[in-house]
Amino acid sequence: MEGYWLFLVLLVSALLLGFLSVLFALVWVFHYREGLSWDGGSAEFNWHPVLIITGFIFIQGIAIIVYRLPWTWKCSKLLIKFIHAGLNTIAMILAIVSLVAVFDFHNAKNIPNMYSLHSWIGLTAVIFYTLQLVLGFAVFLLPFAPVSLRASLMPIHIYSGLLIFATVIATALMGVTEKLIFALKTPAYSTSPPEAIFVNTLGLLIVIFGALILWMATRPHWKRPPEQNSKIQQPNGGTPEGTEEESTVTDCSNTDKSDVEFNSEAAARKRNLKLDEVGQRSTM
């Protein structure tokens, strides 16, 4: 893999920033806000930023780059598809629960629903994300779609996935800013109180995390190599060990070299036998 160490540095950095973003979200709601509960109050609303950052941003980001992890290139692509779909399903469930928390809180407090640009774009992102997941299951995971259809839809699937991910990040930044403007009265948001600085830092972490994920997901030399009749590359750019004939029977173990060694030994025995026959004939 070209640029393996750079990829590794970016991956570790993205994971660290993702964990920090989730941690910052929890500190925000427990230290500066009312914590978490499910009682129709402000603590129920707090589930919304926590679940969005955890599922819709962090887990979705990991799902996007799971194909790019070089140590999974010896795994069956079907297995990676299930992991990709599973992570996206978890992200979708968390996003839907976060929406339920918001609507429940608004209804309990008689606050109008769906009046802000944040809510419009956010609900649109959830709807398109759900459609993306359902179509992905139907076309790429189930064995019914023809190969030509998969090939034609793959660029659209990739583009729409990255677009939804970037849209979610932008919507989250709108949401946390909106929340701070509404919640911080004394002192006001414009005076930069500690909570405002803390949440602004959270926004920066989310932006950098998203930028790293998008960068890793769009570098062509970090793309998973084709499985059919292609050499399996080592993560460190070393010598390939073999070829994959069928992706459905490939697992995550190292390539077994025993057959190659056995064939080499057999060939050596045949050469020795031929030499013996030539020697015997020369003495006759």
Side-chain angles (χ1 to χ4, degrees), residues 142-179:
L142 299 180
F144 305 118
V147 176
S148 59
L149 177 63
R150 296 184 180 186
S152 61
L153 291 182
M154 179 58 72
I156 301 175
H157 180 75
I158 295 174
Y159 172 78
S160 59
L162 297 178
L163 177 62
I164 292 171
F165 179 67
T167 302
V168 168
I169 291 179
T171 308
L173 298 178
M174 296 167 58
V176 296
T177 303
E178 184 179 287
K179 175 64 176 178

Side-chain angles (χ1 to χ4, degrees), residues 41 109 136-137 147 158 239 242 261:
K109 300 295 183 180
F137 267 110
V147 176
I158 295 174
T239 304
E261 294 173 355

Side-chain angles (χ1 to χ4, degrees), residues 49-242:
V50 170
L51 294 181
I52 288 295
I53 293 172
T54 303
F56 222 15
I57 294 178
F58 180 51
I59 295 179
Q60 184 188 176
I62 301 304
I64 288 175
I65 62 169
V66 70
Y67 284 103
R68 301 271 168 150
L69 304 179
W71 44 87
T72 67
W73 289 353
K74 291 181 182 180
C75 300
S76 166
K77 193 171 184 179
L78 181 62
L79 173 63
I80 305 303
K81 285 183 179 181
F82 274 111
I83 295 174
H84 177 73
L87 291 173
N88 279 304
T89 301
I90 294 173
M92 182 194 68
I93 293 173
L94 295 181
I96 292 174
V97 173
S98 74
L99 291 184
V100 173
V102 171
F103 282 108
D104 195 36
F105 167 74
H106 282 187
N107 294 334
K109 300 295 183 180
N110 294 320
I111 300 175
N113 292 307
M114 302 301 300
Y115 65 89
S116 66
L117 182 61
H118 165 73
S119 61
W120 289 9
I121 299 178
L123 184 60
T124 302
V126 173
I127 292 173
F128 276 96
Y129 187 76
T130 304
L131 292 175
Q132 169 94 342
L133 184 61
V134 172
L135 291 176
F137 267 110
V139 175
F140 300 106
L141 196 58
L142 299 180
F144 305 118
V147 176
S148 59
L149 177 63
R150 296 184 180 186
S152 61
L153 291 182
M154 179 58 72
I156 301 175
H157 180 75
I158 295 174
Y159 172 78
S160 59
L162 297 178
L163 177 62
I164 292 171
F165 179 67
T167 302
V168 168
I169 291 179
T171 308
L173 298 178
M174 296 167 58
V176 296
T177 303
E178 184 179 287
K179 175 64 176 178
L180 290 176
I181 293 174
F182 290 158
L184 295 179
K185 300 298 183 183
T186 306
Y189 183 34
S190 59
T191 62
S192 298
E195 181 179 357
I197 296 175
F198 184 84
V199 178
N200 286 348
T201 304
L202 168 61
L204 291 176
L205 293 176
I206 292 174
V207 169
I208 300 173
F209 170 77
L212 292 178
I213 293 296
L214 291 174
W215 180 264
M216 288 187 288
T218 54
R219 298 307 95 192
H221 52 278
W222 291 339
K223 185 178 180 180
R224 177 186 174 98
E227 289 193 322
Q228 283 285 351
N229 299 323
S230 64
K231 294 182 178 181
I232 302 174
Q233 301 180 16
Q234 291 286 349
N236 58 3
T239 304
E241 292 182 351

